[in-house]
Amino acid sequence: MRDDELSGVGLGLRWESLDEVLAADEATLERVRFFEVSPENYMRRGGYFPRALAQVAEKHRLVSHGLSMSLGGVDPFDDAYFVELRAFLARHGGAWHSDHLCFSSHGGAALHDLLPVPFTAETERRIAARVREASDRLGRRMAVENISYYAVLGAPERDEPDWLAALLERADCGLLLDVNNLDVNAENHGFDPIAWLERIPLERVVEIHVAGPEPHASGVLLDTHGAPVRPSVHELLAWVVERIGPVPVLLERDNNVPSLAELLAELAELDATYQRALGAHRARRQASDAA
Amino acid sequence: MPPEPRAGAPLESALADYLRWREAPAELESDTRGYLERHGASTNDAATLDSAAGRASFALYRELVHTRLYGAVDATLPRTVKLCGTPRIEAEVAAFLEEQPSSSPYLREVVVDFVAFVAPRWARDLELPAHALDLARFELAHVEVAAGLDDEPNQPRDPSADQPVLVQRAARLERFGHAVHRLAEGAAEAPEPGAFRLLGYRDAEGHTRMLELSALAAHLLERLSAGETLGAAVQAACADAGLACDDAALAEIAALLDDLAERGVLLGAA
């Protein structure tokens, strides 16, 4: 399912930097291998933003990442949303479409947040079925993203890696591995992120997300996408890339969005981590082939 | 009263209700296990969440959801939020989430639903400035015009009297009881009350414009937007405005049609 032609570091396309992206020359954006867009920001609307997106799409690869599918929910899918999303993806979509392993609406109320689901056999089956349904409705492969969660809902029947592995297998879908979310969860809930990574099917990773969290007054680390990427996230990224090889890696920044120049400087640092990890990956393969 | 929990998702129901219902935080705080078990949670699940950390995690999600929605309202209606004050808007957001939450997957549409929710409340609320609702609707109209659907490519043709006229899809006519469109940014005084009709539309560069219309012009545009033929719309608009459809009215209408066509609001025969 991985798009072999798409790898390297990309940038989340946000309205705050859209004008700068449009005005930037080719050399400025040389390192940006792709832009990721949230379709909900462009669907069911006209005017400037869809037009600007079309201009970006003329020059750059796009990857789509949704916000509102509520894969973990129990409400029926929103038919109109899927029709509009399918039309959007026909125009701007890539090899897969991704959304989050969460619920974001319940009882008909759209709550517009990434709310956690219990790690149970029941949710695993339910979400896998919804991922398959989403894929059928969109006529496109789906990938699911591990979220940051601040509550463990109930007594887990399984831990997250087991639950996630079973869900990916049952849904036969890709994994959008958010190593920042993993880092945030590891810190908030006190577990070893490498041990977590060792137990998930890395071969299903189609894309990696990185971002920077911010502390909440309560002491909890919040996944705000509002700060630079932490060194620990660079380390997790490198660990994964060293093992799976070329993959699209996305830098997300949604709050406290700096200038495009600052974003590109951070992207360059990320690219350096990525390239070093790719080098280590090649060395591993050579050693493996030689053995 | 909260609705019955959704079958098969007791913990998700417990969390969702906690985010929406005003009484839920107090209920969870005073009797965590009872709150969760009333939602169908197992004894084991309820016991796991019956801790300071469990309650704090629910409270954090409530804060995140309310803050996000407040932020969307503030980003769309900044002058209204300033006029009404943060505590009032926070209270309205809480009431909206509890009583009539949006089902839209698009955050910008949630604000549309929010304004529809507060409209009857604010219309009868004497504590709020009288123009608060008009200001909210005015700010929202700007955003809705900017995001309105684009028109299909069209080769304009002059309409005959028996043809309907294409109206720009993004254009919208709004009626206000105060001259909120004349209110300067940061002005302390209340705007003049009266009957005002504003046409929001996108100009050739895609910028949102607001145009004040006469009563006759507003009636005509409403009827054209409803798909009436040009001839019928002209006759009916004159009647709506209480005017004889005489040469003077027809001259005003002809000038209006030319002006709206030049602005890109009227797009020729449908």
Side-chain angles (χ1 to χ4, degrees), chain B:
Chain B
M1 283 291 292
E4 286 297 305
R6 303 299 294 258
L11 295 170
E12 293 92 323
S13 290
L15 178 57
D17 283 353
Y18 183 90
L19 304 176
R20 288 184 50 201
W21 298 100
R22 265 172 285 207
E23 304 301 328
E27 278 185 42
L28 188 83
E29 191 61 39
S30 64
D31 179 11
T32 304
R33 292 186 194 212
Y35 174 84
L36 293 166
E37 286 173 359
R38 276 195 293 282
H39 282 82
S42 69
T43 306
N44 197 23
D45 284 338
T48 303
L49 282 161
D50 188 8
S51 64
R55 286 183 286 275
S57 66
F58 270 47
L60 177 58
Y61 274 112
R62 185 177 166 97
E63 178 189 327
L64 292 175
V65 167
H66 284 241
T67 301
R68 185 185 300 277
L69 183 50
Y70 175 88
V73 171
D74 190 33
T76 309
L77 316 172
R79 296 172 68 188
T80 306
V81 171
K82 197 171 176 189
L83 180 70
C84 299
T86 295
R88 176 62 191 254
I89 299 299
E90 285 176 340
E92 296 290 4
V93 163
F96 171 62
L97 270 169
E98 175 165 311
E99 295 172 32
Q100 198 179 304
S102 175
S103 61
S104 176
Y106 307 102
L107 192 55
R108 69 177 181 280
E109 291 185 353
V110 174
V111 183
V112 177
D113 292 339
F114 173 79
V115 173
F117 169 74
V118 299
R121 298 159 62 91
W122 290 10
R124 59 176 182 263
D125 189 332
L126 300 178
E127 289 184 5
L128 279 177
H131 65 287
L133 179 58
D134 275 350
L135 185 59
R137 291 176 51 240
F138 179 67
E139 290 191 283
L140 187 63
H142 269 88
V143 174
E144 289 200 276
V145 170
L149 294 177
D150 297 323
D151 295 299
E152 300 294 332
N154 171 50
Q155 192 63 43
R157 292 173 294 121
D158 285 341
S160 58
D162 60 353
Q163 286 180 309
V165 176
L166 274 178
V167 179
Q168 183 188 94
R169 291 169 82 184
R172 53 192 301 126
L173 178 66
E174 298 278 356
R175 296 173 186 276
F176 297 97
H178 299 84
V180 284
H181 55 300
R182 296 183 197 149
L183 197 60
E185 192 88 29
E189 73 276 13
E192 170 196 0
F196 301 96
R197 299 151 294 266
L198 294 187
L199 169 65
Y201 68 98
R202 289 207 298 257
D203 68 15
E205 280 74 46
H207 298 128
T208 299
R209 304 287 179 199
M210 289 286 173
L211 180 67
E212 191 171 339
L213 297 182
S214 67
L216 176 61
H219 287 306
L220 179 64
L221 199 63
E222 272 174 340
R223 291 189 171 274
L224 291 176
S225 297
E228 291 186 19
T229 63
L230 179 58
V234 167
Q235 293 291 332
C238 288
D240 292 342
L243 297 172
C245 208
D246 56 15
D247 287 349
L250 291 175
E252 182 185 339
I253 287 173
L256 171 72
L257 292 173
D258 283 347
D259 182 46
L260 293 181
E262 200 164 309
R263 292 173 188 271
V265 176
L266 299 183
L267 305 171

Side-chain angles (χ1 to χ4, degrees), chain A residues 180-241:
Chain A
N180 173 61
N181 290 346
L182 172 59
D183 187 51
V184 165
N185 290 337
E187 181 156 328
N188 286 336
H189 300 291
F191 63 80
D192 175 5
I194 297 296
W196 190 99
L197 286 169
E198 283 171 336
R199 293 175 53 211
I200 63 161
L202 289 176
E203 69 278 8
R204 288 200 178 268
V205 174
V206 297
E207 185 183 350
I208 296 175
H209 274 183
V210 298
E214 294 173 285
H216 183 261
S218 64
V220 170
L221 201 54
L222 282 184
D223 173 33
T224 59
H225 301 177
V229 178
R230 306 201 308 170
S232 51
V233 172
H234 276 260
E235 287 169 19
L236 293 175
L237 169 66
W239 192 95
V240 175
V241 172

Side-chain angles (χ1 to χ4, degrees), chain A:
Chain A
M1 172 179 178
R2 200 177 296 164
D3 181 347
D4 291 335
E5 294 178 6
L6 184 63
S7 63
V9 182
L11 190 61
L13 187 64
R14 304 295 181 249
W15 289 357
E16 288 88 343
S17 42
L18 194 49
D19 288 339
E20 285 187 282
V21 167
L22 286 173
D25 57 28
E26 210 169 301
T28 304
L29 298 176
E30 191 181 11
R31 281 182 199 270
V32 183
R33 301 300 305 275
F34 66 98
F35 284 100
E36 188 181 86
V37 296
S38 292
E40 288 87 345
N41 292 336
Y42 301 91
M43 289 156 60
R44 204 191 288 181
R45 71 174 299 154
Y48 173 74
F49 291 110
R51 208 167 50 242
L53 178 64
Q55 287 177 257
V56 174
E58 286 173 10
K59 296 181 183 171
H60 303 277
R61 293 283 298 267
L62 297 183
V63 168
S64 63
H65 179 54
L67 302 167
S68 303
M69 197 176 281
S70 198
L71 285 169
V74 289
D75 288 355
F77 280 143
D78 181 330
D79 293 334
Y81 169 79
F82 270 90
V83 169
E84 289 155 6
L85 179 56
R86 185 174 176 126
F88 177 91
L89 295 177
R91 186 165 184 208
H92 293 305
W96 69 86
H97 176 67
S98 62
D99 209 307
H100 302 81
L101 283 174
C102 71
F103 75 101
S104 53
S105 57
H106 190 86
L111 299 164
H112 290 277
D113 214 314
L114 308 179
L115 303 170
V117 293
F119 299 138
T120 63
E122 195 276 329
T123 60
E124 180 239 300
R125 281 193 298 272
R126 184 179 79 218
I127 296 172
R130 284 167 72 91
V131 172
R132 284 179 177 272
E133 182 184 345
S135 181
D136 289 345
R137 284 177 178 238
L138 298 176
R140 189 171 303 258
R141 297 295 302 270
M142 283 291 297
V144 293
E145 178 185 334
N146 57 304
I147 63 162
S148 296
Y149 53 88
Y150 311 112
V152 177
L153 281 192
E157 292 172 9
R158 306 172 181 180
D159 63 8
E160 190 186 16
D162 277 356
W163 179 83
L164 180 60
L167 189 154
L168 293 169
E169 179 68 23
R170 189 185 293 272
D172 189 22
C173 66
L175 173 62
L176 195 173
L177 176 60
D178 192 316
V179 287
N180 173 61
N181 290 346
L182 172 59
D183 187 51
V184 165
N185 290 337
E187 181 156 328
N188 286 336
H189 300 291
F191 63 80
D192 175 5
I194 297 296
W196 190 99
L197 286 169
E198 283 171 336
R199 293 175 53 211
I200 63 161
L202 289 176
E203 69 278 8
R204 288 200 178 268
V205 174
V206 297
E207 185 183 350
I208 296 175
H209 274 183
V210 298
E214 294 173 285
H216 183 261
S218 64
V220 170
L221 201 54
L222 282 184
D223 173 33
T224 59
H225 301 177
V229 178
R230 306 201 308 170
S232 51
V233 172
H234 276 260
E235 287 169 19
L236 293 175
L237 169 66
W239 192 95
V240 175
V241 172
E242 190 177 326
R243 281 154 184 80
I244 69 172
V247 64
V249 175
L250 181 85
L251 172 61
E252 295 185 288
R253 190 67 182 258
D254 295 312
N255 287 299
N256 310 316
V257 179
S259 68
L260 182 62
E262 285 176 73
L263 282 174
L264 293 176
E266 182 164 27
L267 187 136
E269 288 175 25
L270 208 56
D271 191 39
T273 298
Y274 176 76
Q275 297 300 339
R276 275 196 301 276
L278 271 189
H281 172 72
R282 283 191 287 269
R284 268 176 172 256
R285 284 190 63 171
Q286 283 166 2
S288 167
D289 291 346

